[in-house]
Amino acid sequence: MQEVPNLILIGPMGAGKSTIGRLLAAELSRPFYDSDHEIQSRCGADIPWIFDVEGENGFRDRESAMISELVDYDQVVIATGGGAVLREENRQRIREGGTVIYLFTTVEQQLKRTAKDRNRPLLQRGDREQLLRDMFALRDPLYRATADLVIRTDRRGPRSVVNDIVRRVHRLLDPLTCKASS
């Protein structure tokens, strides 16, 4: 069987990219990188501060540079920020960087999962539900066009999602073996 390439998680805020990414990396004995956490670590500042000082474009520039660096690593699991797919250059680098997994979740689940989170600058203005619906309408087609696999995370535990990802990635890499063992 082929070696599993980099696994890159995309999807909206609240889909579970960081949690699932950590578990997936542990399952595969690989390093895990969260692009947002890497940006914060290198800047010495949190994302809301970066948005305040540099604006969304400044943050997106940092995000593009970080994604470009991370996808060049080998045998890693990467969780991207929810807006990473907004730039074509990021979508291209993500697609070139490994197997891309879109963690799909509904706006209702996003509302529940982000209800108490004050660390998401884009949700700190206006009607949260409408903001999430607008982001979903814009971003869902971009996630789908970038992804090799779409995995639904609603009403599922992280371990179940990780098991599903591992099974489906192996099926992508070696469809004949996986059919025989399924």
Side-chain angles (χ1 to χ4, degrees), residues 120-138:
R120 299 180 191 267
L122 295 177
L123 291 184
Q124 302 312 311
R125 54 181 192 244
D127 177 354
R128 288 170 73 91
E129 182 174 356
Q130 190 57 53
L131 287 166
L132 288 170
R133 289 194 185 288
D134 292 347
M135 282 191 263
F136 180 84
L138 173 66

Side-chain angles (χ1 to χ4, degrees), residues 9 14 35 40 46 48 56 71 74 90 93 104 106 112 125-126 128 136 143-144 147 152 156 160 182:
L9 306 178
S35 64
Q40 291 179 115
D46 64 12
E56 185 172 356
V71 299
D74 194 33
N90 292 347
R93 291 292 288 144
F104 174 86
T106 62
K112 287 178 188 172
R125 54 181 192 244
R128 288 170 73 91
F136 180 84
Y143 295 136
R144 290 180 185 278
R152 190 175 189 107
R156 296 178 67 191
S160 169
S182 293

Side-chain angles (χ1 to χ4, degrees), residues 3-73:
E3 185 70 28
V4 175
N6 289 343
L7 299 178
I8 305 168
L9 306 178
I10 62 172
M13 61 181 88
K17 297 181 300 289
S18 297
T19 300
I20 290 165
R22 266 189 222 76
L23 289 171
L24 182 60
E27 176 74 20
L28 298 172
S29 300
R30 292 186 172 196
F32 171 67
Y33 297 94
D34 180 306
S35 64
D36 285 349
H37 292 144
E38 294 297 314
I39 291 167
Q40 291 179 115
S41 172
R42 301 231 181 133
C43 291
D46 64 12
I47 290 173
W49 187 87
I50 297 169
F51 263 74
D52 284 346
V53 173
E54 298 180 5
E56 185 172 356
N57 278 337
F59 173 76
R60 297 290 172 211
D61 290 343
R62 289 179 182 277
E63 181 178 58
S64 293
M66 183 56 62
I67 286 170
S68 192
E69 179 182 327
L70 293 175
V71 299
D72 282 341
Y73 293 175

Side-chain angles (χ1 to χ4, degrees), residues 102-170:
Y102 170 19
L103 298 182
F104 174 86
T105 192
T106 62
V107 170
E108 290 72 27
Q109 279 293 300
Q110 285 183 275
L111 280 167
K112 287 178 188 172
R113 293 176 181 170
T114 63
K116 294 181 177 136
D117 192 337
R118 300 289 169 245
N119 219 18
R120 299 180 191 267
L122 295 177
L123 291 184
Q124 302 312 311
R125 54 181 192 244
D127 177 354
R128 288 170 73 91
E129 182 174 356
Q130 190 57 53
L131 287 166
L132 288 170
R133 289 194 185 288
D134 292 347
M135 282 191 263
F136 180 84
L138 173 66
R139 296 175 180 186
D140 181 66
L142 299 174
Y143 295 136
R144 290 180 185 278
T146 306
D148 297 301
L149 296 171
V150 178
I151 307 275
R152 190 175 189 107
T153 65
D154 287 6
R155 295 182 295 273
R156 296 178 67 191
R159 178 60 53 202
S160 169
V161 174
V162 167
N163 291 340
D164 193 12
I165 291 169
V166 170
R167 186 178 69 252
R168 291 181 61 189
V169 165
H170 283 297

